[in-house]
Amino acid sequence: MRAKKWALKLNLITCIALLMMIFLAGLAKAQPIDLPSLGIEEPEDVALTLQILFLLTILSLAPAIVIMVTSFTRIVVVLSFVRSALATQNMPPNQVIIALALFLTFFTMAPYWQQVNEVALQPYLQGELSYEEAVAEAVEPVRTFMLRQTREKDLALFVSLADLGRPRGPEDIPTYVLIPAFIISELKTAFQIGFLIYIPFLVIDMVVASTLMSMGMLMLPPVMISLPFKILLFVLVDGWHLVVRSLVLGFN
């Protein structure tokens, strides 16, 4: 049986080698292929090509932009803290957490995106605004959202790092300064919420661990005993409702 298998393998390798030799022979006899020209000799074609390249770059960075300038960062970090505090490992899965964070982001950002549609997108599509004017109008609602959620301390940090003078108003703060200040503010808020989420589950772990030690059951992992109590507590208090409600109200 082994001899037959090796014979089949050798025959298959021989067939592949023959096909490769035929293909290479055909390439040797083939005429050289003329590549089509890109057609960007004219300055107008060069400008159009650069615009297409810029648009593709923006589309590829769209997920990062959604994460940077929306409520997604805080929401996904808090939901990850909830899963870690419950110690349920991969339950709920990453796909569920990210999907829930995305839909909550769409919900919290809907009023601002509606403003972008009304003041920038629709006038641009109707020809009332130029491209530059539409971009400037579209940025304002998003900047308003970020300014409401950014701490003054974080904003002052990046203003000083950028060597800018003291801004007289929100309009004097560049967007490239506002975005990182907004991100670290969101991370700090998310970690504060995560700390409050951990406290009741930590109490359960301590009670279970001390009970097992008093009973002399030192070899039994406390996590195995505390996990059902954590899930029961989270279900009884309707934890997902409380977490989502707190997250959404925190942006109002």
Side-chain angles (χ1 to χ4, degrees):
M1 293 296 294
R2 291 183 178 179
K4 290 183 179 180
K5 290 182 179 179
W6 279 107
L8 290 174
K9 291 181 179 179
L10 290 174
N11 290 333
L12 181 60
I13 294 172
T14 304
C15 292
I16 294 174
L18 289 174
L19 290 174
M20 291 296 297
M21 292 174 63
I22 294 172
F23 178 72
L24 292 174
L27 286 180
K29 295 180 181 179
Q31 298 294 330
I33 301 174
D34 295 331
L35 294 176
S37 62
L38 296 178
I40 57 173
E41 290 82 2
E42 298 295 332
E44 295 80 3
D45 297 333
V46 176
L48 180 60
T49 305
L50 292 177
Q51 291 178 6
I52 295 174
L53 180 62
F54 178 74
L55 178 61
L56 293 176
T57 304
I58 293 298
L59 292 177
S60 63
L61 295 176
I65 295 174
V66 171
I67 292 174
M68 288 188 297
V69 301
T70 62
S71 58
F72 180 83
T73 301
R74 183 193 303 186
I75 294 173
V76 75
V77 172
V78 171
L79 294 180
S80 299
F81 270 123
V82 172
R83 185 175 65 179
S84 299
L86 286 171
T88 53
Q89 297 182 356
N90 292 326
M91 293 302 297
N94 290 330
Q95 294 86 346
V96 175
I97 289 181
I98 293 175
L100 178 59
L102 283 174
F103 281 106
L104 290 177
T105 301
F106 295 152
F107 181 81
T108 56
M109 297 298 297
Y112 300 95
W113 288 343
Q114 185 176 1
Q115 295 180 24
V116 172
N117 180 60
E118 293 176 354
V119 303
L121 181 58
Q122 293 302 325
Y124 174 72
L125 294 177
Q126 296 173 5
E128 299 176 0
L129 295 177
S130 64
Y131 174 76
E132 292 78 8
E133 293 173 344
V135 170
E137 292 292 335
V139 170
E140 288 304 318
V142 180
R143 282 175 53 89
T144 302
F145 168 78
M146 290 191 291
L147 285 169
R148 291 181 59 183
Q149 307 301 326
T150 304
R151 292 180 172 84
E152 294 184 3
K153 181 179 179 181
D154 298 328
L155 194 58
L157 170 64
F158 284 94
V159 168
S160 63
L161 291 176
D163 292 331
L164 300 176
R166 184 179 179 86
R168 291 172 294 180
E171 64 279 358
D172 295 334
I173 301 174
T175 304
Y176 73 89
V177 172
L178 177 59
I179 291 177
F182 167 74
I183 293 175
I184 65 173
S185 294
E186 289 293 281
L187 288 174
K188 182 177 180 179
T189 303
F191 274 70
Q192 290 175 342
I193 298 173
F195 171 76
L196 297 177
I197 291 173
Y198 258 93
I199 291 177
F201 300 113
L202 181 61
V203 172
I204 294 177
D205 285 334
M206 295 176 63
V207 171
V208 170
S210 61
T211 303
L212 292 177
M213 289 183 63
S214 63
M215 296 174 63
M217 305 175 66
L218 302 178
M219 300 301 295
L220 184 62
V223 178
M224 295 181 59
I225 306 301
S226 63
L227 179 59
F229 292 101
K230 290 180 181 179
I231 296 176
L232 179 62
L233 174 64
F234 196 71
V235 172
L236 289 178
V237 301
D238 200 0
W240 291 114
H241 174 85
L242 294 176
V243 170
V244 171
R245 181 176 180 272
S246 299
L247 285 172
V248 174
L249 292 179
F251 292 104
N252 295 332

